[in-house]
Amino acid sequence: MRAIGSRSSIIVLVGSVLSAGELAAQGNSSLSGSKIEYAEAQATAGALFSENEELRQQLAVQRESVKTLTDSLAASNAEAELFRR
């Protein structure tokens, strides 16, 4: 659920920046300034999406590691119980 909230937040942020850029382009601000802001917003969004994907991959690896360690601990505890008897 947390990843969905983060993704929604990123989409809202990018949408807001893009909308602000469009409004600025329609106003009295220079078109080149708007293009620069738009390019920066795209670069930021791209970087955030890349970082998000990398973090998802790291999380998957960590979850697998935790699962393996948990299984090993359960097996060790079962062996220890047998030796206690």
Side-chain angles (χ1 to χ4, degrees), residues 5 22 30 32-33 56 59 84:
E22 289 174 11
S30 71
S32 62
R56 286 178 186 273
L59 180 60
R84 283 186 211 136

Side-chain angles (χ1 to χ4, degrees), residues 3 6-7 10 47-57:
S6 297
R7 181 178 289 171
I10 291 171
L48 288 173
F49 285 122
S50 295
E51 181 180 9
N52 188 24
E53 184 58 33
E54 183 180 333
L55 290 172
R56 286 178 186 273
Q57 290 172 356

